[in-house]
Amino acid sequence: MKVNIYYGGRGLLDDPTLYVVNKMQEVLTELRVEVERYNIHEHKSSITTLPQTIKDVDGIILATTVEWLGIGGYMQQFLDACWLYGDKDKIASTYMQPIVMSTTYGEREGEITLANAWEILGGLPCSGLCGYVEDLVSFEMNHDYTVIIEKKAENLYRTISQKQKSLPSSNQAVKQSVLRTQQLELTPQESEQLSKYVADDVYVKKQKEDIEELSSMFKDLLGQSEEDEDMAYLMELEAHFVPQEDFHANYLFMIEGKKKPMSVEIFNEELQIHYGQSNKEVDVYTKLTMPVMDNIIQGRMTFQRAFMTGEMTAKGNFKRLKMLDQVFIFN
């Protein structure tokens, strides 16, 4: 039989949980149980890989200390890692005994939290141990307390060896009907590999740099595509512009699919085209689709024909509207 102990406290000398864990480890060793202990605070950078150590055990002890509120960050991170990267099939057959000692209020709530968490993970919780310790010396010297701790260790051994069953729990029903993991459907081997990657700071840093580089590249491509869109039709109109003597007009083309209207300003031989509202008084407002504009640019249709067939609507000075086919020749 093998039992792992996961200690989620900060490792302080006056931590009562350490005394309880040491005493239970002595009892289990006397019962010829192989015991391995993991102080989670010593594995800060590799907590995500700790769930893989549950693979070859029959039971575990989750031990933590309530110093001011709750089970503490280290134990919570370990449980999070079990949820994200743990082998759920192995957890389902693993017994867990919660040990929560406190120097303030909340040891019972902490024990319930650990039991609930293990049930939701699919594991098998055992009867735990919790207590409030005001003075560590008097607690250690109390023979009755020592007997209680030893009995709890013996109960864990008995539960695992006899493979005791328990009644169904509502936590399991909640998990099956309400909780839905947002993680990828991974095999235990893939989850183990992913947990190693997550624990590798160099790998995570490199991934973040790659993501930033890709984001920057896509932003550049997006900016380039927007720039190309802003130049659409401008170069074609400039290339086919035919100046007319003593002619000036301002046109505003509302092209469907474009965020901004296209402003065309003609003053004799000068031509100014841009996307956006014109600062000058507009002589002709036109509205057309991009396919119609493409046909005009490619010489398959004239502005006048598009207007006469209804494919382009216009309002304003119709004399200047007719001049569009003279100042822009696409034959």
Side-chain angles (χ1 to χ4, degrees):
M1 183 186 299
K2 183 177 180 181
V3 173
N4 282 358
I5 299 176
Y6 299 91
Y7 166 68
R10 294 189 295 149
L12 302 178
L13 293 176
D14 60 346
D15 188 342
T17 305
L18 287 176
Y19 169 74
V20 175
V21 167
N22 291 334
K23 184 60 64 176
M24 296 191 71
Q25 188 169 350
E26 291 176 7
V27 175
L28 290 172
T29 303
E30 291 175 0
L31 294 171
R32 297 182 181 181
V33 176
E34 182 184 352
V35 180
E36 189 167 358
R37 183 158 137 193
Y38 295 90
N39 297 323
I40 301 177
H41 64 88
E42 296 176 356
H43 300 267
K44 297 178 186 177
S45 60
S46 58
I47 292 179
T48 54
T49 62
L50 285 182
Q52 310 309 323
T53 60
I54 302 177
K55 281 187 173 182
D56 58 346
V57 302
D58 301 291
I60 67 172
I61 294 175
L62 298 183
T64 190
T65 306
V66 177
E67 295 186 70
W68 75 283
L69 180 66
I71 61 176
Y74 293 133
M75 182 58 70
Q76 186 64 58
Q77 288 183 59
F78 173 72
L79 292 172
D80 287 345
C82 289
W83 176 256
L84 294 171
Y85 312 112
D87 185 344
K88 301 299 192 303
D89 292 335
K90 182 62 185 75
I91 291 176
S93 61
T94 304
Y95 290 90
M96 186 280 295
Q97 185 177 59
I99 303 296
V100 181
M101 307 304 292
S102 77
T103 56
T104 181
Y105 175 81
E107 69 280 357
R108 293 187 183 277
E109 288 77 4
E111 180 188 1
I112 294 172
T113 297
L114 293 179
N116 288 341
W118 198 248
E119 282 188 332
I120 292 175
L121 284 169
L124 306 170
C126 305
S127 175
L129 175 67
C130 67
Y132 166 73
V133 178
E134 185 176 5
D135 179 62
L136 181 60
V137 175
S138 60
F139 179 76
E140 293 177 355
M141 297 300 293
N142 191 306
H143 176 70
D144 294 334
Y145 295 162
T146 302
V147 172
I148 293 174
I149 296 171
E150 293 174 348
K151 290 296 183 182
K152 285 295 181 182
E154 294 172 0
N155 288 340
L156 175 62
Y157 173 81
R158 191 176 299 109
T159 300
I160 296 175
S161 60
Q162 296 178 0
K163 297 187 182 300
Q164 294 182 5
K165 303 296 182 181
S166 59
L167 294 174
S169 165
S170 60
N171 286 329
Q172 285 297 316
V174 169
K175 177 187 175 183
Q176 295 172 4
S177 61
V178 178
L179 294 181
R180 295 290 183 271
T181 58
Q182 299 300 319
Q183 59 190 14
L184 297 173
E185 293 295 332
L186 303 177
T187 65
Q189 293 76 16
E190 291 171 333
S191 295
E192 180 177 355
Q193 191 65 40
L194 180 60
S195 68
K196 292 179 180 178
Y197 286 144
V198 173
D200 188 346
D201 292 337
V202 176
Y203 176 82
V204 173
K205 182 178 179 181
K206 182 65 169 60
Q207 290 295 301
K208 290 181 178 179
E209 291 175 353
D210 291 344
I211 292 174
E212 291 177 358
E213 183 178 350
L214 287 172
S215 299
S216 177
M217 181 181 71
F218 282 120
K219 286 180 180 177
D220 292 341
L221 291 174
L222 180 61
Q224 183 177 356
S225 63
E226 290 178 349
E227 182 178 351
D228 292 341
E229 183 180 351
D230 290 343
M231 293 298 295
Y233 305 130
L234 303 189
M235 296 180 63
E236 289 85 350
L237 290 173
E238 290 177 351
H240 295 85
F241 174 61
V242 179
Q244 302 293 319
E245 187 176 355
D246 294 330
F247 177 74
H248 56 87
N250 295 329
Y251 301 90
L252 195 68
F253 291 85
M254 307 295 295
I255 304 174
E256 292 184 9
K258 295 294 182 181
K259 297 179 181 179
K260 299 178 181 179
M262 183 174 65
S263 177
V264 179
E265 301 175 3
I266 302 174
F267 189 82
N268 295 333
E269 297 183 357
E270 295 182 7
L271 173 66
Q272 293 185 358
I273 312 176
H274 65 276
Y275 279 99
Q277 294 291 341
S278 175
N279 295 326
K280 300 179 181 179
E281 184 178 354
V282 178
D283 298 306
V284 179
Y285 292 87
T286 67
K287 184 177 181 180
L288 67 167
T289 63
M290 292 178 64
V292 173
M293 190 67 179
D294 291 337
N295 288 333
I296 294 174
I297 293 295
Q298 295 167 10
R300 294 195 292 264
M301 181 181 292
T302 63
F303 286 105
Q304 184 65 22
R305 181 182 174 188
F307 174 69
M308 296 298 293
T309 57
E311 295 183 76
M312 180 182 77
T313 59
K315 65 178 181 178
N317 190 319
F318 286 95
K319 290 184 179 180
R320 287 182 170 80
L321 174 62
K322 293 180 180 180
M323 289 295 295
L324 276 173
D325 291 320
Q326 297 183 37
V327 295
F328 297 108
I329 300 177
F330 298 98
N331 293 335

